[in-house]
Amino acid sequence: MNRIEKVFQNLKQNNEKAFVPYIMAGDGGLETLAEKITFLEKAGATAIEIGIPFSDPVADGPVIQQAGIRALEAGTTLRGVLAAIAEIRPIVHIPLIFMTYMNPIMAYGIGNFISDASASGVDGLILPDLPAEEEEIIAPIAEKAGIEIIRLVTLTSPLERIQEIAAKGKGFLYAVTVNGITGARKGFKDELGKHLERVKEVSPIPVLAGFGISEPEHVKEMNQHCDGVIVGSRIIELLQSGELAKVEELIASSKIEEIKL
Amino acid sequence: MNAAYTLPDERGHYGTYGGRYVPETLMQAILELEEEYKKAQADEGFQKELQGLLKDYVGRETPLYFAENLTKQAGGAKIYLKREDLNHTGAHKINNSLGQALLAQRMGKRKIVAETGAGQHGVATATACALLNLECIIFMGEEDIRRQQLNVFRMELLGAKVVGVQSGSATLKDAVNEALRYWVTNVEDTHYILGSVMGPHPFPMIVRDFQSVIGNETREQYLEKEGKLPDAVVACIGGGSNSMGMFYPFIKDETVRMIGVEAAGLGTDTEKHAASLTKGTPGVLHGALMYLLQDEHGQIQEAHSISAGLDYPGVGPEHSYLKDSGRAEYESITDEEALEALQLLCKLEGIIPALESSHAVAYALKLAPQMKKDEGLVICLSGRGDKDVETVRARLGGKGQ
Ligand SMILES: Cc1ncc(COP(=O)(O)O)c(C=O)c1O
């Protein structure tokens, strides 16, 4: 069983919610990656999404764009990140999931990338520019190597499509909470809770909400309707400004049991 | 190539190229666009409305002009110019903008977003939106805004909102990124009028089809004038729309050479060029698999050309396919050569071509002498040079040579 499946099985048994932070590999130099990962694991992260910088990240807002530019300026490459992950994998127990765009992987060579990622201990892949229509270019090879493709569904995806997409995966389903790109939002559509519940109803795998989530209140709100959250831009900002206590607080907000009326 | 050229396939692929590499949020919109486009193609009313506008508003058909002086100068094949520069708004871009604006109207989308490089697609789109009373927002790189001041003002005059893009190289590639981000955020009421044969399926197909009016007219006009087909058609390549529009109607005519001309900038042996097919490798950008200028790690490189409209590090998926299959040939022309060709056309024919189109002229001047006198070639003169006069003046230090 893949590490991602195992982690979610445990959460379910303990009736807990997932918290998956996103960091940009190489932001602040690749040598800081291990430190960030161990800090987040210790703070209670369920899994970590590791961004691989790409020059043209069309699904990302300003914060992640800037983090990507910093990482590229620091000389970060996919090859370098894979080596760093291989080194740290033995002491990290939670799943590590790469998030990047198709092109860096294609330049590396899809087959080579999957075998190197698998050898380094990468557990999953999130590819925001790879909809179901194109996934056969990589999904079968990845899944054969034990790397889960984490698929995205959005507010514009019809329910039948969500059902089809959810049925393909074994890890978790990434429910995008806004029409738009990554980056902190003040609020969400009123119908979001209902949408997440509908997604959960048709999904055989856990559903995590992501995009725009930045405050403990958002985390608690989302967690009432799904199995956990993914937080990106806010984590990057807090790590950048050194506000580690706030990162811990944000992660902790997902652990507090909601008193249901 | 055989008579059975039917690309793209139903998944929007041209061989391995093309496809729909877009965020899930956009999938419904592009599936809906594909559906609606199919209906529009079969709808006589739609076709009639488009034909009517192309005739009375754009001023089609455009002339196929025998450039006798240029032919004499080159000393070889007869050179014809397909005068897309005479279209309303000064370039071929309006053929596509109008078609897509009508499609948006059909889909009940009253807001339009578009990217622009040289500003020609932006002006054409702003024009179509003014005509059809659609809201229009145009993303344009800051570097291009600087190079094409007058076109920015034109768009604003036409009622569009122009938003500067500072990220990356602040040129066309970055404007597409920002337009895509805007579209993801506003997809429910907004249509994206992509300006070239790029992006996710069905855009490369739709833009090609709307631009095919160029090749269709050329074919008929040439047959009428010469009683045969041309031996070669030559067009410049930014994203590849004027060239695809010229090529597509000839694709099954194997005797017709199709030659796309990329921007070699300061030279293809330097880092400052935009020759994606000549020097690039396949990869995914802006929703499609195509030839790209990229480094070994898959990071997209900045393109360079004196002409803002060719300054793009990729080229549409169908061209990528036609290159690999060998049906079309791809050459490149430097900034210097394009500038020279521009001046020559001014002096010899009294036509000021766009810097983009000047690349096609420059290559044709190399090709014609290698061909026989009873052969003929057609240059797609994709746009007029009024927008470039300032750039050219700065380069030539104020005096035509
Ligand atoms: C006059 C003219 N020609 C050519 C181009 C290049 O585009 P494409 O290759 O799509 O025809 C442009 C783009 O702005 C243009 O303005």
Side-chain angles (χ1 to χ4, degrees), chain B residues 107-134:
Chain B
M107 292 187 291
K109 293 192 168 176
R110 305 215 53 85
K111 293 184 182 168
I112 298 297
V113 62
E115 84 294 342
T116 196
Q120 289 305 103
H121 175 58
V123 168
T125 301
T127 299
C129 288
L131 179 69
L132 299 176
N133 190 26
L134 304 171

Side-chain angles (χ1 to χ4, degrees), chain A residues 1-13:
Chain A
M1 194 187 283
N2 178 296
R3 237 184 241 114
I4 300 173
E5 285 180 85
K6 250 185 251 163
V7 155
F8 279 97
Q9 219 170 46
N10 287 343
L11 284 183
K12 199 171 176 191
Q13 274 162 12

